[in-house]
Amino acid sequence: MDLSPVSRDILRPPAPMRLVLGSLALALLINLLPWSGWALIIRPDFVLLMLLYWVVHEPQNIGQTWGFALGLVMDVADSALLGQHALVYVVAIFLTELLRIRIRHLSVIEQALHMLGILFVAQLIYIGLNLSLGRDFAGFALVLAPLLGALLWMPLHFVATLPRFRRRGDTALL
């Protein structure tokens, strides 16, 4: 008899740590590509998106410490205010942890809508920090980044979930 909403999570084996670290490294490399012009403005934060995926699906391995550390890496890589990405990542991870159980039981499209809200809050924090530093407002094209991030949630969910369901002896997918 299933009395708790999280009892199904106990039966699922955890994702291999090499899959988690590899996906975060790939997201970091995609973020570090030389984006420019409109692509830079509407580019979703791939590291944040991957962190949120792993917070939803592997909360025992990925949490706010990882968000803070990867946020500092992104601050240095983007030459941003030190702590800007770290603050945004920690707040987004906190919101995701609050909604994690609810998100796990929704369809992928509904999960993407929840991620849209979380990514929009993250984008508002970015905008607020940049405006407080006296930087110019980049325009309302910044709203497109959370939309693209939410649209990317569906293929991300599909791709990142595939290797987790392979048989123990099968290493061909990695």
Side-chain angles (χ1 to χ4, degrees):
M1 182 180 335
D2 186 13
L3 297 177
S4 70
V6 292
S7 64
R8 283 179 241 119
D9 291 341
I10 297 169
L11 300 175
R12 180 172 291 140
M17 200 58 181
R18 68 176 185 264
L19 176 65
V20 175
L21 295 177
S23 63
L24 288 171
L26 180 65
L28 184 63
L29 288 175
I30 293 172
N31 260 11
L32 295 179
L33 288 175
W35 302 88
S36 64
W38 275 95
L40 181 62
I41 293 174
I42 65 171
R43 171 197 68 161
D45 193 342
F46 294 101
V47 173
L48 178 60
L49 201 60
M50 190 58 70
L51 274 170
L52 296 181
Y53 174 82
W54 289 119
V55 166
V56 169
H57 293 282
E58 295 292 330
Q60 66 275 13
N61 293 332
I62 299 295
Q64 292 180 353
T65 305
W66 278 93
F68 186 78
L70 286 173
L72 290 178
V73 169
M74 283 305 303
D75 288 331
V76 171
D78 280 350
S79 299
L81 174 68
L82 192 62
Q84 175 180 348
H85 285 88
L87 173 68
V88 170
Y89 288 5
V90 167
V91 169
I93 288 172
F94 174 73
L95 292 173
T96 305
E97 287 173 343
L98 283 177
L99 299 171
R100 186 185 81 79
I101 294 174
R102 177 184 179 145
I103 291 172
R104 287 289 306 250
H105 289 72
L106 296 174
S107 70
V108 179
I109 294 172
E110 292 167 332
Q111 288 179 10
L113 289 174
H114 278 71
M115 286 301 126
L116 174 65
I118 292 170
L119 293 172
F120 188 70
V121 168
Q123 191 71 5
L124 287 177
I125 295 171
Y126 278 131
I127 292 169
L129 286 173
N130 285 328
L131 290 177
S132 69
L133 291 173
R135 296 185 181 148
D136 293 332
F137 181 63
F140 290 102
L142 292 172
V143 177
L144 294 176
L147 286 172
L148 287 176
L151 287 175
L152 284 174
W153 180 263
M154 293 176 273
L156 169 74
H157 184 273
F158 176 73
V159 170
T161 309
L162 278 179
R164 295 180 62 207
F165 296 114
R166 69 186 190 290
R167 290 186 298 267
R168 286 249 179 219
D170 186 16
T171 57
L173 292 176
L174 284 178

